[in-house]
Amino acid sequence: MLSGPFGVGKRTLAKLLVLCLFCENRTDAPCGKCKACRRITSGFHPNCLRLGLLPNTKSIKIDQVREILAQLSQYPLESGRRAVILEDFDLFTVPAQNALLKAIEEPDEVTVYILTATNEKSVLPTILSRCRFQRLPAWPDDLLESHLISQGFSTQTARDLVPLSGGSPGTAVRMAGNEDFWALKSRADTVLFSPADLSQIPEISEQLKEFRQEAEQLLNYLEAKALASFSAGAPEHPDPEAYYEASLKHRAMLESLFLARRQRASNVTWQGIADQLLLNILEDNQPCPW
Ligand SMILES: [Zn+2]
């Protein structure tokens, strides 16, 4: 079982493992060039089966599992190994998971089952107890940044994305394609982070009102921004005292975001929350703690 956050690379690793299993090039597997590699890459290897979410569905049902079990028992397969990739196993319904129990418990000699899951807690203990685990951690910021640049993102975009991605390349790519997010970011930066002083509060408060529908996204963005600058300044800061001051402000910012979330959960009006947030940002006449 390969488990880890959304977009961290579970499917990519599963595919790589299968390529290694099937590649005909024993000294340099996976070579990506042999017949087996090419068939797996194009999704047409008879001995490699895959089961995952169908478009516009939220779970994997028992019927889909029965189909793949029937395929495993009936179809004439080529000699050699078989691989079954069960994607998003945490989204398999309980009956669907149960239907696979026997197959996973007593796989025949040639079959390898590779499961992926974002949330292990949604997998039956009976299944978990039969798995060997590889847990994929979040990517470190610098590695994620260079990966995004290697994928064609500009350095600035990569830097914007890293703190918002939770160490997940998949999330970064998803955020990159989310035009609503970039529009929100640009609006939030203009409203909150252009030079401001206390006399502008009424004006900014008025502009913040318009974020009501996107309050959650705005809070997410502010939190990511606060966390990013909090960790960015830490190592070898030239002025320890200034860094200490700054870190107190970051902390205060995170606390006020936390408070804003709590208020939202208890149905305080957005205007009330936004004004409180704004006051916290501008507290001590500091235009912006970042
Ligand atoms: Zn190969």
Side-chain angles (χ1 to χ4, degrees):
M1 172 170 287
L2 309 174
S3 65
F6 167 84
V8 81
K10 302 183 291 295
R11 280 179 207 196
T12 308
L13 183 56
K15 197 165 178 183
L16 207 56
L17 286 172
V18 172
L19 283 170
C20 289
L21 279 175
F22 284 86
C23 180
E24 291 153 15
N25 190 336
R26 286 293 106 201
T27 52
D28 186 25
C31 69
K33 294 175 197 139
C34 69
K35 194 176 162 200
C37 280
R38 278 184 284 123
R39 286 163 96 190
I40 287 167
T41 307
S42 59
F44 294 107
H45 196 296
N47 285 19
C48 178
L49 303 175
R50 191 188 70 86
L51 182 54
L53 275 182
L54 294 169
N56 303 319
T57 59
K58 290 193 170 127
S59 61
I60 295 104
K61 307 270 182 347
I62 190 163
D63 291 346
Q64 292 170 264
V65 169
R66 288 201 179 119
E67 221 170 279
I68 212 155
L69 289 173
Q71 242 173 307
L72 277 169
S73 63
Q74 290 168 10
Y75 276 50
L77 297 158
E78 291 184 8
S79 59
R81 283 181 177 280
R82 294 194 300 194
V84 183
I85 302 179
L86 303 170
E87 278 174 6
D88 295 316
F89 203 77
D90 44 340
L91 301 181
F92 280 53
T93 63
V94 170
Q97 293 191 28
N98 270 322
L100 278 159
L101 192 57
K102 194 162 176 292
I104 292 175
E105 191 174 27
E106 298 162 3
D108 56 67
E109 283 172 3
V110 293
T111 307
V112 176
Y113 290 87
I114 301 175
L115 287 65
T116 73
T118 301
N119 180 11
E120 282 176 29
K121 288 195 178 107
S122 300
V123 178
L124 293 175
T126 41
I127 298 275
L128 290 177
S129 67
R130 285 157 179 86
C131 290
R132 280 194 286 170
F133 291 90
Q134 180 63 54
R135 296 186 172 95
L136 279 67
W139 292 40
D141 287 355
D142 50 348
L143 191 61
L144 180 55
E145 186 181 313
S146 55
H147 171 72
L148 291 173
I149 293 168
S150 78
Q151 297 295 303
F153 290 103
S154 73
T155 309
Q156 189 52 53
T157 307
R159 277 187 194 152
D160 283 340
L161 286 169
V162 166
L164 306 166
S165 319
S168 155
T171 302
V173 170
R174 191 182 262 194
M175 295 291 283
N178 183 341
E179 286 173 19
D180 292 345
F181 166 74
W182 293 103
L184 175 123
K185 177 186 181 300
S186 139
R187 269 166 64 216
D189 285 348
T190 314
V191 171
L192 285 169
F193 305 113
S194 48
D197 60 52
L198 291 173
S199 70
Q200 289 175 290
I201 287 183
E203 195 186 318
I204 303 173
S205 162
E206 201 55 36
Q207 290 171 309
L208 265 183
K209 218 190 260 180
E210 289 160 25
F211 282 91
R212 193 167 55 83
Q213 300 291 338
E214 306 137 299
E216 192 58 32
Q217 291 96 308
L218 178 67
L219 293 178
N220 286 342
Y221 169 59
L222 294 176
E223 203 166 78
K225 197 173 165 99
L227 281 171
S229 41
F230 185 56
S231 47
E236 298 149 26
H237 197 282
D239 182 349
E241 209 165 305
Y243 177 68
Y244 178 70
E245 279 291 305
S247 73
L248 287 182
K249 286 188 196 304
H250 293 308
R251 205 178 135 166
M253 187 61 218
L254 288 172
E255 276 167 9
S256 68
L257 289 166
F258 180 70
L259 177 70
R261 282 187 198 285
R262 272 219 319 242
Q263 288 174 327
R264 259 169 65 72
S266 46
N267 295 322
V268 178
T269 64
W270 169 243
Q271 193 58 57
I273 296 171
D275 283 346
Q276 178 76 53
L277 196 60
L278 189 58
L279 282 174
N280 286 334
I281 290 178
L282 298 178
E283 209 174 37
D284 301 326
N285 207 13
Q286 291 292 326
C288 159
W290 313 306

